[in-house]
Amino acid sequence: MRRGDNLTSIASKYDVDVYDIKVWNHLRKSTLHAGDKLVIFKEVAVTSSVKYAKASNVERESVHKGKARFHFVQEGDTLWNISQRYGGLSIDKIKKLNGIKGNVVKAGMKIRVS
């Protein structure tokens, strides 16, 4: 990072959300310092059918290997944006895996995503 950089300008430059940059880098505040290094993930554009096909293959593989993956809910997370982060995993699937009855998740929850 350079002097004068901020999360908004960086997010705009890389076409990502400020929220995602904060999550990827475990930032609680928006304060940055010159010389800080940030992780930026960039998704490759794929059609939704390819995305869901890949997600179902990954889901099947993880079930066969017996490896569970978890997501720690952070402030501002919703079931929908969590589902999008994990390859379009359905909201119903997340709710079923975790015994969630409503549509609310709270910061600090550890939820299974595979």
Side-chain angles (χ1 to χ4, degrees):
M1 283 195 22
R2 297 184 187 148
R3 183 181 168 125
D5 281 346
N6 59 53
L7 288 180
T8 303
S9 65
I10 294 168
S12 178
K13 179 179 178 181
Y14 292 100
D15 194 29
V16 295
D17 291 332
V18 170
Y19 173 81
D20 289 331
I21 294 174
K22 289 175 79 172
V23 170
W24 297 330
N25 292 280
H26 309 289
L27 301 175
R28 292 181 184 212
K29 298 180 180 179
S30 297
T31 307
L32 301 175
H33 300 93
D36 285 351
K37 294 185 181 190
L38 295 175
V39 173
I40 306 290
F41 292 103
K42 188 73 173 161
E43 288 187 35
V44 178
V46 294
T47 63
S48 60
S49 59
V50 171
K51 186 175 183 178
Y52 292 121
K54 286 182 181 179
S56 64
N57 286 340
V58 169
E59 193 173 297
R60 273 189 249 124
E61 288 173 13
S62 66
V63 168
H64 290 295
K65 292 180 183 176
K67 295 182 180 179
R69 288 183 16 189
F70 294 91
H71 173 81
F72 289 92
V73 178
Q74 297 188 0
E75 193 70 36
D77 277 351
T78 64
L79 287 172
W80 182 84
N81 67 18
I82 293 168
S83 73
Q84 297 305 300
R85 286 198 179 119
Y86 293 95
L89 178 67
S90 76
I91 292 171
D92 288 334
K93 180 74 173 178
I94 293 172
K95 289 169 69 172
K96 188 179 224 179
L97 283 170
N98 295 283
I100 298 172
K101 300 213 185 276
N103 291 316
V104 178
V105 290
K106 295 183 180 182
M109 289 176 71
K110 177 181 175 183
I111 60 173
R112 185 174 175 184
V113 292
S114 70

